[in-house]
Amino acid sequence: MSSLGGDVTRSLEPWNDPERAADERVAALIAAMTLREKVAQLYGTWIDATTEDGHGVAPHQDDMDAAVDLDAVLPFGLGQLTRPFGTKPVDAGVGAAQLAALQRRVVAANRFGIPALVHEECLTGFTTWGATAYPTPLAWGASFDPELIRAMATRIGAGMHSVGVHQGLAPVLDVTRDSRWGRTEETIGEDPYLVGTIATAYVRGLEGAGVVATLKHFAGYSASKAARNLAPVTIGPRELADVILPPFEMAVRESGVRSVMHSYAAIDGVPAAANAQLLTTILRDGWGFDGTVVADYFGIGFLKLLHGVADTWGDAAALALRAGVDVELPTINAYADPLVGEVESGRLDERFVDRALERVLRQKLELGLLDPDWNPLPAGYDDADLVEPERARGRIELDDAEGRELARRIAEESVVLLSDDGVLPLAVPASIAVIGPVADDPMTMLGCYAFPNHVLDRFPELGTGIAIPTIAQALRAEFPGSACTVTTGVPVDAPDRSGIPAAVAAAREAELAVVVLGDRSGLFGRGTSGEGCDAESLRLPGAQQELLDAVLETGTPVVLVVVSGRPYALGSAVGSAGAIVQAFFPGEEGGAAIAGVLSGRVNPSGRLPVSVPVHPGAQPSSYLAPQLARRSEVSNIDPSPAFGFGHGLAYTSFAWEDLEVLAAGELDTNGEIQAAFTVRNTGNRAGTEVVQAYLHDPVASTVQPEIRLVGYLRVELEPGESARVDVTAPVELSAFTGVDGRRIVEPGALELRLARSSDASVFSVRAIVTGETREVDHTRRLHAELTADHG
């Protein structure tokens, strides 16, 4: 006999016998199940998701999420539980007890004693009440520090695991194609290599903590027309293959990821949820992925409601299951009675159900959910806590000192110093006018998937649940001897200009004006950035540009701080402001990080993961572009950036010296370009240089971007210290999709550029690739290797 779930005793059946092979256990369980029991493992349920005001946390939540009768559902089993912590505020200790009690109910109700897999959002931290709110993914990209992001994900995963959560719906691997898209803040940047390396590090951290990571959104979501959320995508197969898919491929190959979420997008008329070429041929047959594919929320239903490729819920279920979607989320819809009806009618072969079920059960087995000693009780809990969950209030801390310290480090590394005429770092000013709608609002520090912005706008009486010092508060702490006045000036997004005169007066009376502008993130039109909060142009929201211009005209030295979810054109500030600092929703410790950069306590080391435009309407614009996408004499629109991808300044200087070409000249398609050079800190304080390696292919059989990132390295140096940087760039990093659709490496000229940013190359190493054109596949090398020897 064995105990499953603590209070349910069953005979030791083959599927919960740990002495048997996984394949045998899973096969035995599938063979014992009825069709209805099989299908029950392929959907989740979202308890307490319905809202009174119709403003839920997901699109179409209230019109597609009918209340679920658990007593009727649970005897067949249940695949997943959707967001028991991330739907409404709940104390972590209490929530863990409530979840454990619910899991016991799930186990007791179905005849195989199978628990549900529990998933939550975790993009900027565990999306639940009282959890650390880390910087948004665009800030991860700005750090150029994969190992720091891995450490963050490990902490996030540990918190989720401690309360009984098995799967996290992160990271986002969408490549920014047009920064007007509201979900730009959720992306890591505009370069596939940067996105891939940072996301892969995140996955390793989350999976290392025992939580299933989920790559999203697979694929093409960020390439929508006019940057509108959930809009048509008309990119060609080469852009898909060479820009959109590489981050996903890298993560599948290198991270151990166990789940992928399909995109809402329809690429050239084929919705991702019904795209077998994408979900099966590429993902599984090509890259070898063997985990689960889960639906983006209501994405299977959208095949009928939005895409119009299915006539009935059964049609939608069959399309998605055949394509390779294993689990419907967030709740019971198409993968329930409609799916059962498709199989019973003979319109859908039951083998597709079994195929998805095998993947789902294997994952539950890997998580220990089919083992005889599985118990939902968290560490330190007993049965009395399940009967009286309030006993556990305050027992689990999700925002401890270690988490806040890690949030601080990421925030500090992600702040980008765009320009500085010598005003920074600040001497102690006698008086500071802190001006702008973002200056003293804690919510403007956070992205849309941080719990306070994601959920708490529906519970304003509860506050933020965590300490989020504002920039104004942090500046007062950083400069205790300075007189600080705070003036909002204008709202974040409203056209109200009535506060501008007061802001101008404050600036005139101060020795220095710190103007803090940007976004307030929200959901579906309730913010200036975030899911469903797309922008018509990259002009600062509301009347913020007018506020900025008015303060600049006072003649008082101005430091502009932009805290946003996307880059904005900054108009007159470029060239007029004494300094410009960019932070991308830097999280709960972001205020202190920004204040530290202004004071010089922190030497900035962030680099732009997205280009900052000159003109607000010159979109879409990305450094990853061919010659025709750049400034030309045949168009009056100049898409050149004010600050390019990879740009960032520091309070010290670095010399790049003594280039040595170790291998170049003539190389075959299997060869490597090798070079070495010295980076020396020539300033008077410690700092970090970010070495970036780009490839330039001057002549190719299909149009290529002028350059693309293939490697990078943070090099930390004390004053006067130097390091020898070795770079090895395999020729096959130049592979691209050729005329016939094959990924190839071509002979011809190839140039390795070693650079401070995409528009600041220092050294170039030229090679001639010889031999025949070579086809490569998913086993090709993906990285240039950069190492630093401090000697």
Side-chain angles (χ1 to χ4, degrees), residues 497-522:
R497 298 165 176 80
S498 61
I500 292 180
V504 168
R508 285 186 173 135
E509 294 171 2
E511 183 178 323
L512 172 77
V514 177
V515 181
V516 190
L517 307 176
D519 286 314
R520 191 186 191 284
S521 191

Side-chain angles (χ1 to χ4, degrees), residues 211 281 306 355 369 717 725:
V211 174
T281 305
L306 300 183
R355 181 181 70 173
L369 301 184
L717 296 170
V725 177

Side-chain angles (χ1 to χ4, degrees), residues 209-364:
V211 174
V212 175
T214 309
L215 309 183
K216 62 185 193 182
H217 307 90
F218 192 65
Y221 190 27
S222 59
S224 58
K225 282 188 173 182
R228 292 180 60 248
N229 193 48
L230 221 170
V233 174
T234 55
I235 59 174
R238 287 179 186 80
E239 183 176 353
L240 179 68
D242 293 348
V243 177
I244 301 299
L245 295 184
F248 291 95
E249 180 184 2
M250 184 184 293
V252 168
R253 287 178 54 184
E254 298 180 355
S255 71
V257 68
R258 288 181 284 177
S259 191
V260 170
M261 175 181 280
H262 77 69
S263 163
Y264 287 138
I267 301 175
D268 195 24
V270 181
N275 193 331
Q277 174 71 18
L278 186 67
L279 301 182
T280 298
T281 305
I282 293 174
L283 179 63
R284 295 190 184 278
D285 299 342
W287 300 344
F289 177 71
D290 61 0
T292 57
V293 172
V294 301
D296 202 346
Y297 283 13
F298 310 113
I300 296 174
F302 289 168
L303 296 176
K304 175 181 183 294
L305 293 180
L306 300 183
H307 294 301
V309 296
D311 184 41
T312 66
W313 296 119
D315 290 341
L319 278 172
L321 197 65
R322 286 194 187 99
V325 182
D326 302 312
V327 180
E328 181 178 28
L329 298 179
T331 197
I332 300 170
N333 202 317
Y335 276 20
D337 291 340
L339 178 55
V340 171
E342 290 298 300
V343 175
E344 290 179 341
S345 69
R347 291 187 295 271
L348 178 69
D349 195 313
E350 191 170 347
R351 67 183 177 87
F352 289 105
V353 173
D354 290 347
R355 181 181 70 173
L357 180 61
E358 190 276 333
R359 297 164 183 164
V360 167
L361 293 179
R362 181 178 293 275
Q363 194 162 92
K364 287 192 172 186

Side-chain angles (χ1 to χ4, degrees), residues 621-641:
S621 179
S622 164
Y623 101 92
L624 198 71
Q627 183 176 346
L628 283 174
R630 302 178 186 276
R631 182 174 59 184
S632 72
E633 297 179 355
V634 297
S635 174
N636 62 316
I637 296 177
D638 182 1
S640 300

Side-chain angles (χ1 to χ4, degrees), residues 9 17 29 40 78 216 285 297 384 404 426 499 505 649 665 676 733:
T9 302
D17 183 355
L29 184 50
L78 182 62
K216 62 185 193 182
D285 299 342
Y297 283 13
R404 295 195 71 95
L426 295 174
L649 304 178
L733 294 180

